[in-house]
Amino acid sequence: MSIDEIAIRKTERLFGACYPVESLSFFLTPSRIPYETAVKRDFKPVKVGESFGPTWWTSWFRVTVTIPKAWKGEEVHFVWECDGEAMVWRDGIPVQGLTKEGEKTSYILTEKLTDEDPHSLELYVELACNGLFGAGKGSLIAPPDPNRSFTLHKAELVIFNRAVHELLIDFEIISDMAKLLGTENQRSYQALYTANKMVNACDVEDPSTFAEVHRLASDFLQQQNGESQHTVHAMGHCHIDTAWLWPYEESIRKCARSWVSAVHLMKKNPNFIFTCSQAQQLQWVKCLYPVLYTQIQEYAAKGQFITVGGTWVEMDGNLPSGESMVRQFLQGQRFFQQEFGKYCCEFWLPDTFGYSAQLPQIMQGCGITRFLTQKLSWNLVNEFPLLNTVKNNKDKGRVNDSAFLFGFGDGGGGPTQDMLDRLQRVQNTDGLPRVKQSTPDAFFSILEADTTMLCTWVGELFLELHNGSYTSQAKIKKGNRKCECILRSIEVVSSLASVQKESFDYPSSQLQNLWRLLLLNQFHDVLPGSCIQSVVEDAVKFYEEIQSGGNELLKEAIQCLLGGSVQETGKNINVLNTLSWERTEVISMPRLEGDEVLALVKVPSVGFATVTSPLVPPHPVIVASQGNGSVLMENGILKVVFDSMGRMTSLTHLLYKRETIPEGCFGNQFVLFDDIPLYWDAWDVMDYHLETRKPVSQVLKSLEVVCPGGVRGSVRHSIRISDTSKIRQEIILDACCPYIKFKTEVEWQEAHKFLKVEFPTTVHSPNATYEIQFGHLQRPTHWNTSWDWARFEVWGHKWADLSEHGFGVALFNDCKYGYSVHQNVMTLSLLRAPKAPDATADMGHHHFTYAFMPHAGSFQEANVIQFAYNINYPLHIVPAEPSVSASSFWSAFSIQSPAVILETIKQAEDRKNALVIRLYESHGSTVVTWLHTSLPVKQAMWCDLLEQPLATKTLPITDFQIQLSFTPFQIRSLLLIF
């Protein structure tokens, strides 16, 4: 008999006698209701073999069981095999998660039945009508089948044959060694011969032979390694996507099912170590499963349940702003400290689609010096040189330890008892690496003991896959950017109001709630747009909640700071600027008659101006229609010509006398591509899509003049993408403005298409620059190597720049993240149309703005960074009180050097009399500068990103100024005491 046949025969004897449940009843509900509510509902009889649904509904079962007295001394399991995910409740407490996909199909009622054990009991089973990976129709990532049914295949009591289980584990390990170690490895032959001996010694009909078979296995497995053998640090883990192919609400139950199973394993296995990240998930369990949460805290105190990561969720590593990344750690670390008594030491991000170059600095500022990921092994083109597996370890000879996370993940489930039994057998078996149950701290401490030989990587960790996720689900991308901006504005204005007005209460708790909603939506399958439709709907709802609640908070703070009311209309207005530089811009002023009047105004840094009369532009905008349907616009800085389709045929920087558009080319050229990835639809865009480029060229409405000039010139046009999709655009050139703005509306009804806008330029450089969190980085504009070629689509934030010595061009946006700069063509990615896992992705109406700016000198000298901020943070217009009759200016903060950006002003987390201001060096230079403030600051000191003071010594304040110093791209935070 073969090894496999023995295993099959043994599996058939894993369960002995079985006994039916005494009664089984159920009810269905479309809602996810708590246990206390469910047990009060009416249950009706049901039988094994029946099916339940539809998808996302919940079926609650009441199960009455009676264990036969004849089973005394036996291990008794309640077996539940069903297509959906289930939770067993006993005495009002969740006790076991069950799912076939996660190899958990039984709940142990007793390991050895005694007379004192309860023989009759009542259980409740909460069945989620979805699988471990949702309910995709036909494939894993297909949109969910809304009408799927989930069948109950088995519900019974059984005797579990522990001896058979032990032999099965023995057989599996030794037969795997025989198959997988390879024919060149002598140990594989030893495993084969040992397995053959086991087969000969085993009589599946005679349990008395089992002891000899187990002895043979033990003798083989206990042959130990030499001292130089590699050590694998095994850590139980259960990566749970906070939302992906299932909605947020189901993730809450996934956490409970997975963690209650882990706690159950901890009770049986005192050496079992389980690592758990994401404060948001723990917060959910704390609120909805308090008994389980108490158990988690108890095992955390014992050192078995280990919290890791330090962030609110495992966020996307590319698209959140720098401040959002800080808040992920601030909210996460504070939660772990408050709930578990310590900060996390390691950043845990195994499944994110790339990692920003600024993450190490942000991590260190939040008390984290260690980092773990697995995702880079997915690279499509280049094998990433930092993988830590035994076979592909790129640090061979440098380190002799690696980490191994085990357990069912993504959809949850976590480790199983079988996994733990296998690990116990191979702790030190000749031919295999040493394996030990370990902790992240133990593993990283060994690596840190000698870092001199470790390989290092400088810059971003770019994932050569999933670069379509920079564009998919445009509504989510826009919601993220707009909410990041409004939360910043609320904090700035509220901070100023709290210092200036004693009556104002800084809205700490409201802001925390809104921030946590935003951070939740930055999870690495939500913000990238790789989630199902119901998750998108939840995310959009959260963005609307943030904007609605945020607008109310902002209005209250502005009214307190400036007086007046947004309802008042009069001759004068207050214009508020939350950014840290003076701004001269065209605004729309409200008037009593209800009309709006355009005006050019100047507003100070982090302050306001009361405007009684607008500025007169030194060079008014000129708009002139040409005979061939084209239009020329000029404002003294730029001269631009558009053809009848809204394409730029010429763009001249007047001061530098430089033409920006190559002859015969068109700027603002919309282009359409076929976009059919190999598999990961919403995630990927493949390089071959570039071969399908088609310019969008069918005119619906030719260019027409909207604003004829003065402080603003603008034109409007519309073009057809297809029979169902079209673009409508207003192109704006303002007085004193060095860039052209494109306010764009798209009606988008496409399938597997990719819409972009191109700007060919006369600028040539081997590298382009892209904004990232708290800084920027360069990427090649050529495809010389496979590493260059893999970056055919890249991510950036508010701007990208292409510059040669002395001249360049910049491309801004207010809600986009996908870019491509190849040779001399700058491209902004606008919309995709993937069909999995959301068949409706991006369908509908879209509004967004981008801008194009030629400039003399470097992008730093041309203030590209500041102008990109301006587009994303419009000036706030508030009618002034009727009594105000004279112009006035007030600035709370200003910075001498344009290289330093004041990113954040907020109230300190634990001190009402203190503000935290966060600044960063944006040019890539070493800077010594002065921060000026008109606020009554008593003390100033540096603090870390968790707002803990870095030294007891305060900074000197001279004439309301504080001297600051920065190294390139350094992030620094000041604690200001009032």
Side-chain angles (χ1 to χ4, degrees), residues 638-919:
L638 303 177
K639 183 173 74 173
V640 57
V641 179
F642 292 95
D643 67 9
S644 60
M645 293 177 54
R647 302 177 302 184
M648 285 194 301
T649 58
S650 174
L651 174 59
T652 305
H653 190 284
L654 294 174
L655 299 179
Y656 203 67
K657 297 181 175 59
R658 173 73 178 260
E659 172 60 59
T660 305
I661 304 299
E663 186 176 355
C665 296
F666 302 103
N668 194 42
Q669 171 69 68
F670 291 99
V671 287
L672 198 66
F673 299 84
D674 295 335
D675 183 18
I676 306 173
L678 293 175
Y679 178 73
W680 296 99
D681 205 357
W683 292 258
D684 290 347
V685 58
M686 313 307 296
D687 64 307
Y688 52 74
H689 87 283
L690 297 170
E691 301 172 10
T692 66
R693 176 184 177 276
K694 297 181 182 67
V696 179
S697 57
Q698 186 176 356
V699 177
L700 278 176
K701 193 170 186 180
S702 296
L703 201 68
E704 61 178 359
V705 176
V706 177
C707 290
V711 295
R712 170 171 291 173
S714 70
V715 293
R716 184 168 54 211
H717 70 104
S718 57
I719 56 178
R720 184 189 302 277
I721 300 172
S722 69
D723 291 341
T724 55
S725 301
K726 61 184 177 180
I727 299 169
R728 184 174 183 268
Q729 189 174 65
E730 184 179 4
I731 305 170
I732 299 168
L733 181 63
D734 282 343
C736 301
C737 185
Y739 55 81
I740 305 149
K741 188 161 55 176
F742 302 85
K743 294 179 67 175
T744 311
E745 298 177 50
V746 181
E747 181 61 35
W748 183 245
Q749 300 291 341
E750 299 297 314
H752 288 119
K753 299 292 182 181
F754 200 159
L755 180 67
K756 305 183 186 184
V757 64
E758 294 177 345
F759 290 89
T761 78
T762 58
V763 176
H764 297 270
S765 174
N767 295 294
T769 307
Y770 303 83
E771 187 194 35
I772 65 167
Q773 297 83 358
F774 297 124
H776 60 264
L777 54 74
Q778 291 189 333
R779 300 185 181 108
T781 61
H782 53 77
W783 296 341
N784 286 356
T785 70
S786 61
W787 292 91
D788 303 331
W789 169 72
R791 287 165 167 78
F792 60 86
E793 179 83 5
V794 299
W795 64 272
H797 283 203
K798 298 184 291 292
W799 60 269
D801 186 87
L802 180 65
S803 290
E804 58 194 35
H805 179 68
F807 192 81
V809 288
L811 183 56
F812 309 139
N813 75 84
D814 72 342
C815 61
K816 300 300 176 184
Y817 296 90
Y819 293 89
S820 172
V821 182
H822 186 225
Q823 296 180 357
N824 67 322
V825 180
M826 301 188 77
T827 304
L828 183 66
S829 298
L830 302 177
L831 293 168
R832 296 186 70 218
K835 297 303 172 186
D838 177 8
T840 68
D842 287 318
M843 298 299 97
H845 206 72
H846 299 271
H847 294 256
F848 49 85
T849 297
Y850 55 89
F852 191 69
M853 174 180 158
H855 60 81
S858 68
F859 71 86
Q860 294 97 329
E861 295 165 333
N863 292 323
V864 162
I865 299 166
Q866 284 80 0
F867 287 122
Y869 268 92
N870 291 353
I871 285 177
N872 283 268
Y873 292 91
L875 296 167
H876 298 277
I877 315 301
V878 183
E881 293 179 337
S883 59
V884 176
S885 59
S887 296
S888 62
F889 293 83
W890 178 77
S891 172
F893 293 98
S894 61
I895 303 169
Q896 184 185 57
S897 171
V900 177
I901 305 293
L902 200 170
E903 177 68 22
T904 301
I905 305 172
K906 66 181 289 288
Q907 188 179 85
E909 291 293 314
D910 300 313
R911 305 178 67 165
K912 289 189 175 181
N913 68 330
L915 296 182
V916 170
I917 69 170
R918 189 146 25 254
L919 311 100

Side-chain angles (χ1 to χ4, degrees), residues 215-241:
R215 184 194 65 76
L216 289 168
S218 297
D219 288 347
F220 176 82
L221 294 172
Q222 288 175 8
Q223 295 175 18
Q224 298 184 355
N225 282 297
E227 293 184 4
S228 65
Q229 185 59 271
H230 187 92
T231 299
V232 173
H233 295 251
M235 308 170 209
H237 190 53
C238 177
H239 175 62
I240 300 174
D241 283 319

Side-chain angles (χ1 to χ4, degrees), residues 17-154:
C18 62
Y19 196 75
V21 299
E22 188 170 313
S23 69
L24 184 65
S25 56
F26 88 113
F27 74 88
L28 267 170
T29 172
S31 306
R32 298 172 177 89
I33 60 177
Y35 171 86
E36 295 76 11
T37 302
V39 295
K40 296 175 183 178
R41 297 283 293 270
D42 292 329
F43 289 74
K44 61 181 181 181
V46 68
K47 296 179 181 179
V48 171
E50 294 189 26
S51 298
F52 310 91
T55 306
W56 308 127
W57 282 46
T58 299
S59 184
W60 279 87
F61 296 84
R62 180 184 290 141
V63 186
T64 304
V65 300
T66 300
I67 306 174
K69 293 183 178 180
W71 288 6
K72 182 178 179 179
E74 301 287 359
E75 181 173 337
V76 182
H77 290 199
F78 167 59
V79 172
W80 178 275
E81 292 187 13
C82 188
D83 298 329
E85 295 186 88
M87 171 75 90
V88 180
W89 295 76
R90 181 174 180 178
D91 300 327
I93 298 173
V95 291
Q96 179 68 55
L98 299 176
T99 170
K100 287 198 304 181
E101 293 168 286
E103 297 182 5
K104 294 184 180 73
T105 57
S106 68
Y107 164 56
I108 301 174
L109 295 175
T110 175
E111 292 185 357
K112 187 175 183 179
L113 184 65
T114 66
D115 292 334
E116 290 73 28
D117 287 327
H119 284 58
S120 296
L121 62 154
E122 188 174 71
L123 305 173
Y124 287 87
V125 178
E126 178 187 10
L127 175 68
C129 292
N130 54 262
L132 200 62
F133 293 93
K137 189 173 185 178
S139 75
L140 175 70
I141 65 167
D145 179 353
N147 298 309
R148 179 176 291 188
S149 59
F150 298 81
T151 303
L152 176 60
H153 300 284
K154 189 176 292 186

Side-chain angles (χ1 to χ4, degrees), residues 167 214 293 347 400 559 611 790 817 871 971:
L167 286 189
H214 184 64
Y293 189 73
F347 184 30
N400 208 28
Q559 289 179 6
V611 179
Y817 296 90
I871 285 177
I971 309 162

Side-chain angles (χ1 to χ4, degrees), residues 2-8 168 170-195 220 391 432:
S2 71
I3 295 173
D4 291 337
E5 288 173 324
I6 286 285
I8 293 170
L168 278 172
D170 291 340
F171 270 117
E172 288 172 1
I173 293 172
I174 295 175
S175 63
D176 281 348
M177 289 179 68
K179 295 173 185 176
L180 303 176
L181 285 180
T183 56
E184 73 282 358
N185 191 318
Q186 181 173 325
R187 187 66 170 160
S188 69
Y189 288 99
Q190 294 174 358
L192 178 64
Y193 297 144
T194 300
F220 176 82
K391 182 178 179 181
L432 299 178

Side-chain angles (χ1 to χ4, degrees), residues 298-313:
E298 291 171 355
Y299 280 99
K302 294 178 181 178
Q304 287 184 260
F305 194 103
I306 297 179
T307 53
V308 294
T311 52
W312 191 246
V313 298

